[in-house]
Amino acid sequence: MPDTEHRDLTNIRLKELCFGAVRKHFAALGTEAVLDLPTPLMKELLPHLTICQLDELQPVLNQKGISTHSEWVRVLQDMYGPNHVIDLHSEEEAKHEVMRILFPLVFYGFTNSYVKRNIRHLSSPTFLWAAAKCIQHFLLVTSLHKPLQSLTAEHWPLLNLLEKHIKSVGVSQPIDLSKRTTQRGLYVLHRLLDHGVATKLVVHVQCPIVLAWLLHQRGSQYVNLELKTLMHCRKASWVSRATTVRTDGASCSPGLETEDDQGDQVIPCKSSKLDSVSVVEDESGKENSIVDPQVLCRTFTPCDDLTAEPCPWGQITCLKITQCGPDCLEVLYSALPTFFCLHSLSLHSTLTFRYSDVLGLAGALKQLSDSSCSSLTDLCVSILPNTNLLEILLDASPTVTSLHVEIHTVMFEPCFLPLHPRTAESDMPAVLLLEKLKVKVAEVQTDLHFMTSVLRRSPHLTSLHVAGIRLPTGFSQSQLLTTLSVSNPCLKTLNLEDMKLCDCLPDVLNLLGDCKLKELHLNDCRLLEKCTDKEETLQQLVGALKTVASLHTLSLAQNRLAKHVCALAELFSGSSPSSVKRLDISSNFIQPAELLEFAKRLETHRPPHQLTLDLRKNPGDRDPDTWNTALKRLRPFSVLLVEGWKSTDTMVDHISNM
């Protein structure tokens, strides 16, 4: 080995050793000493730092003009693998994503390959503290008692910090209100929802009594009788038992004694014990634990933080139920009419809702909307059994500005009429306030009337996403496109997905000729299917797109563009190039040679702005050298989204393009 190469290698190794020493002795060195390093050396050091060290240095580095974005992205790629696309363009977004993934893993003791490799620094309280400042969602796992117990003991300051930052709370497992082991979970929920800033609740379980507990006093005036009885009975038992304890000896909290037990250790006078007061038995001997949030708070809150005033009640403004069965719907039917602070409601069922379920929901929504105090603006329901229910829900909640529904037709269901049939005097339905509408349909064939009827009533619509509409043979989507042109002049975002548009190109061009679109997604729309001259068809589309001056995002994914992709380079040609800044041509079976030709044309007609180009799921492995040459030519003016491709896994796409 030549002396020069040997010296270079030695210097590299020495530098690596120094960087490792800085990482190991970071606390002893102090941030000031590290920040005194020259900027080029500092940038080389960053990949060697831990997550906590990187987080600590980031604010000062930003002041020096040094970004940590690439380092947070590197951590994400380390977790996801090299073929995963990280589409996060700011360092705060990337950092928050890192913390969002790692916090529940570390807090609950889960693991993955990244955590195993970095467990030494992730297991320190410093990491949980740093992550808690970034995350906004807390997922409660009630089966893991020790982590939740720590929040009432040594990690009590961490719970205080979470109260200030957590905006969304998730319940991932059933909660048995009769079991003592769930009480700390209920307490954590109470602290985040009532003492903290969390206003969004996500429920992943079907448990009506727990849903009633979560909603109790947090927006709706409805009181569940079963829950009321449960809380009153157990509170009375607790008060009776607490009185007895109070006569026996002093305690850290009023009426409570701190005595240790083997199964539930806590720090004396830091968190009060439940042994003597929280677990009582009814006449049958069944365990009877405390569920009243006010009592739980006085039980678990450290004595130094207790106040004489009763606890506040939070307000749930956003409610999402991912497994919404009939029993949970019954709770909602009663809670919704007075749920005046609720802004967003999202209900999902693994099975299709029954007609009677949806009509019951519509009735409750109608009662809510009839009140001038209603705040509900966002509604999401899936899965509906019929397209007719779309307008029924809209008529029941006319103040909604955002609606998302998924529809799977159920055969042999009765066809219900709207709750309030229109009279002869009201043949013209009321104008809707809808601004955003998303409709996904899974039917063999659909009548377009259910969509065009809603669109005609929605002059304020700014965003539309329609997927899966399939029409009978001989019919086209022309009526839908014409309705959009005439009735929805405010449209800014249009997303048509899994629809056949190859036979209505004139209507597409007409829509583009007079619109204010900022985003256009035509994914899996068979744009070139059965076209005799595919190149000419695509050129006409490109010509129309260039006239939309407001357009900044264009997606033509899954349209089998293949070799015709080169025509898209003309978007940026001429004296009036397109303003598109993000172009998605993923899943189009673009071969390496075709991408190279596309890159050459883009070099000739360079976009006026940096272009984010999505090339995922195209067969780059057919000729890696040519593919990489194309990517190299695109990088000077593009941010490329690419990932690994296995042609053997996508033979269907290949056959479809033969």
Side-chain angles (χ1 to χ4, degrees):
M1 180 184 295
D3 290 342
T4 303
E5 291 184 17
H6 179 73
R7 284 196 301 271
D8 290 343
L9 184 59
T10 301
N11 290 336
I12 291 173
R13 288 175 177 171
L14 181 59
K15 190 181 291 185
E16 294 287 327
L17 289 172
C18 292
F19 288 157
V22 171
R23 170 185 169 124
K24 184 177 180 179
H25 302 288
F26 184 87
L29 289 170
T31 57
E32 290 186 6
V34 177
L35 291 168
D36 283 340
L37 292 172
T39 297
L41 197 59
M42 173 64 73
K43 290 181 178 179
E44 289 186 69
L45 170 66
L46 293 182
H48 299 269
L49 298 179
T50 69
I51 286 177
C52 293
Q53 293 164 359
L54 196 62
D55 175 65
E56 184 177 345
L57 290 177
Q58 179 180 315
V60 185
L61 290 175
N62 290 162
Q63 292 177 5
K64 290 189 171 187
I66 302 175
S67 173
T68 59
H69 175 260
S70 60
E71 303 314 316
W72 294 113
V73 170
R74 179 185 56 79
V75 174
L76 289 171
Q77 288 175 334
D78 196 3
M79 288 192 285
Y80 285 128
N83 293 328
H84 185 88
V85 173
I86 309 299
D87 192 13
L88 300 168
H89 300 294
S90 74
E91 61 183 344
E92 284 302 309
E93 286 179 319
K95 180 174 77 170
H96 285 199
E97 180 67 6
V98 169
M99 300 303 195
R100 182 192 68 81
I101 295 170
L102 289 178
F103 180 86
L105 294 177
V106 175
F107 178 73
Y108 287 114
F110 299 129
T111 189
N112 60 17
S113 58
Y114 181 85
V115 173
K116 287 179 180 178
R117 292 195 305 272
N118 297 274
I119 190 62
R120 183 175 179 179
H121 71 266
L122 289 177
S123 59
S124 71
T126 307
F127 167 75
L128 289 178
W129 190 266
K133 295 178 181 179
C134 293
I135 63 172
Q136 296 185 343
H137 180 75
F138 183 88
L139 185 66
L140 187 80
V141 183
T142 53
S143 62
L144 300 176
H145 309 305
K146 287 187 177 180
L148 297 177
Q149 177 186 335
S150 73
L151 291 178
T152 64
E154 70 271 16
H155 283 163
W156 165 256
L158 179 63
L159 180 57
N160 278 180
L161 184 62
L162 291 171
E163 289 175 17
K164 298 175 183 177
H165 292 275
I166 293 299
K167 297 179 180 179
S168 171
V169 177
V171 180
S172 64
Q173 296 178 337
I175 301 176
D176 188 342
L177 297 184
S178 69
K179 289 188 176 181
R180 169 185 177 230
T181 53
T182 65
Q183 290 180 121
R184 281 185 170 84
L186 296 178
Y187 172 70
V188 171
L189 286 172
H190 162 63
R191 293 298 305 192
L192 295 178
L193 291 171
D194 299 328
H195 291 267
V197 297
T199 58
K200 180 178 180 179
L201 177 63
V202 184
V203 184
H204 299 287
V205 294
Q206 291 194 59
C207 189
I209 189 64
V210 171
L211 179 61
W213 186 93
L214 290 166
L215 300 184
H216 182 71
Q217 296 284 355
R218 296 185 176 102
S220 175
Q221 298 174 17
Y222 164 69
V223 177
N224 182 279
L225 294 180
E226 180 184 356
L227 179 65
K228 182 180 180 181
T229 302
L230 191 67
M231 293 177 68
H232 177 74
C233 173
R234 296 181 182 180
K235 184 174 181 179
S237 299
W238 177 84
V239 171
S240 174
R241 181 61 176 159
T243 302
T244 304
V245 172
R246 194 161 52 240
T247 62
D248 294 338
S251 67
C252 186
S253 297
L256 297 179
E257 190 175 49
T258 57
E259 64 178 63
D260 298 332
D261 73 73
Q262 295 178 352
D264 215 357
Q265 294 290 331
V266 296
I267 300 174
C269 220
K270 183 69 176 174
S271 180
S272 303
K273 290 308 299 168
L274 283 177
D275 289 345
S276 57
V277 294
S278 67
V279 182
V280 295
E281 295 182 354
D282 59 19
E283 294 180 357
S284 65
K286 184 178 179 181
E287 192 178 83
N288 203 2
S289 63
I290 300 301
V291 297
D292 188 305
Q294 306 278 334
V295 178
L296 287 171
C297 203
R298 300 200 66 78
T299 302
F300 287 114
T301 302
C303 49
D304 292 342
D305 293 274
L306 279 174
T307 63
E309 297 180 359
C311 295
W313 289 101
Q315 287 198 329
I316 296 171
T317 62
C318 179
L319 175 62
K320 181 177 182 179
I321 305 176
T322 62
Q323 296 184 37
C324 189
D327 292 339
C328 287
L329 280 175
E330 289 293 335
V331 174
L332 282 176
Y333 294 160
S334 301
L336 279 175
T338 56
F339 214 146
F340 300 132
C341 65
L342 190 66
H343 293 279
S344 176
L345 176 63
S346 183
L347 306 176
H348 304 266
S349 174
T350 52
L351 301 175
T352 305
F353 284 120
R354 299 173 301 186
Y355 264 86
S356 56
D357 294 337
V358 183
L359 292 180
L361 174 63
L365 290 171
K366 183 67 170 64
Q367 292 182 60
L368 176 61
S369 68
D370 283 344
S371 170
S372 59
C373 299
S374 174
S375 303
L376 187 66
T377 56
D378 297 352
L379 179 62
C380 176
V381 185
S382 65
I383 306 168
L384 297 179
N386 194 278
T387 55
N388 296 331
L389 292 168
L390 173 63
E391 266 195 288
I392 289 179
L393 287 176
L394 283 170
D395 287 335
S397 46
T399 59
V400 162
T401 59
S402 176
L403 176 66
H404 175 191
V405 297
E406 188 171 343
I407 305 168
H408 293 186
T409 294
V410 176
M411 303 302 292
F412 310 117
E413 280 276 12
C415 184
F416 286 90
L417 293 174
L419 293 181
H420 303 282
R422 300 186 183 106
T423 62
E425 294 80 17
S426 60
D427 287 337
M428 291 300 292
V431 171
L432 298 170
L433 300 180
L434 267 186
E435 296 176 6
K436 297 180 180 180
L437 176 62
K438 184 175 182 179
V439 180
K440 288 191 173 184
V441 184
E443 291 189 8
V444 178
Q445 291 183 350
T446 307
D447 186 344
L448 266 180
H449 176 72
F450 87 99
M451 273 302 306
T452 55
S453 175
V454 170
L455 292 175
R456 291 189 185 101
R457 299 173 59 190
S458 309
H460 310 292
L461 197 68
T462 60
S463 176
L464 175 65
H465 184 171
V466 182
I469 292 185
R470 292 172 176 79
L471 303 178
T473 304
F475 290 83
S476 77
Q477 305 286 356
S478 296
Q479 185 182 2
L480 174 65
L481 295 167
T482 301
T483 303
L484 289 174
S485 299
V486 174
S487 303
N488 309 108
C490 300
L491 207 59
K492 299 291 190 300
T493 300
L494 177 60
N495 191 332
L496 303 180
E497 179 184 354
D498 190 16
M499 297 167 62
K500 184 180 177 182
L501 297 182
C502 61
D503 55 353
C504 47
L505 179 63
D507 301 287
V508 174
L509 301 180
N510 181 59
L511 175 63
L512 295 175
D514 184 22
C515 71
K516 301 175 183 177
L517 287 177
K518 294 182 178 180
E519 296 186 29
L520 176 62
H521 305 259
L522 301 176
N523 297 344
D524 194 14
C525 287
R526 281 83 83 186
L527 291 174
L528 305 181
E529 187 177 286
K530 298 180 181 179
C531 292
T532 54
D533 191 342
K534 296 182 179 181
E535 190 79 19
E536 173 63 23
T537 299
L538 199 52
Q539 286 177 357
Q540 289 184 50
L541 180 60
V542 167
L545 289 168
K546 290 178 69 174
T547 65
V548 186
S550 55
L551 191 67
H552 60 69
T553 298
L554 174 63
S555 177
L556 300 175
Q558 293 180 270
N559 277 292
R560 304 182 181 124
L561 299 180
K563 64 181 180 181
H564 305 290
V565 68
C566 297
L568 293 180
E570 298 302 316
L571 278 168
F572 308 105
S573 66
S575 58
S576 301
S578 172
S579 55
V580 166
K581 297 179 182 179
R582 187 181 183 96
L583 177 61
D584 184 352
I585 49 176
S586 61
S587 301
N588 270 297
F589 206 74
I590 301 169
Q591 300 274 11
E594 295 156 359
L595 183 66
L596 181 58
E597 179 60 28
F598 175 68
K600 290 178 180 178
R601 294 198 189 183
L602 270 187
E603 282 183 318
T604 304
H605 309 298
R606 286 204 175 197
H609 311 282
Q610 186 179 56
L611 181 67
T612 298
L613 190 60
D614 194 337
L615 299 171
R616 287 175 282 190
K617 298 183 180 178
N618 284 300
D621 67 335
R622 298 293 177 89
D623 185 352
D625 291 339
T626 302
W627 182 264
N628 289 329
T629 300
L631 297 183
K632 186 177 180 179
R633 301 185 80 147
L634 289 168
R635 282 197 172 96
F637 50 86
S638 303
V639 175
L640 302 179
L641 304 182
V642 293
E643 63 185 6
W645 164 280
K646 293 183 180 179
S647 296
T648 54
D649 296 338
T650 52
M651 188 54 66
V652 173
D653 262 357
H654 172 62
I655 294 173
S656 69
N657 283 276
M658 294 177 62

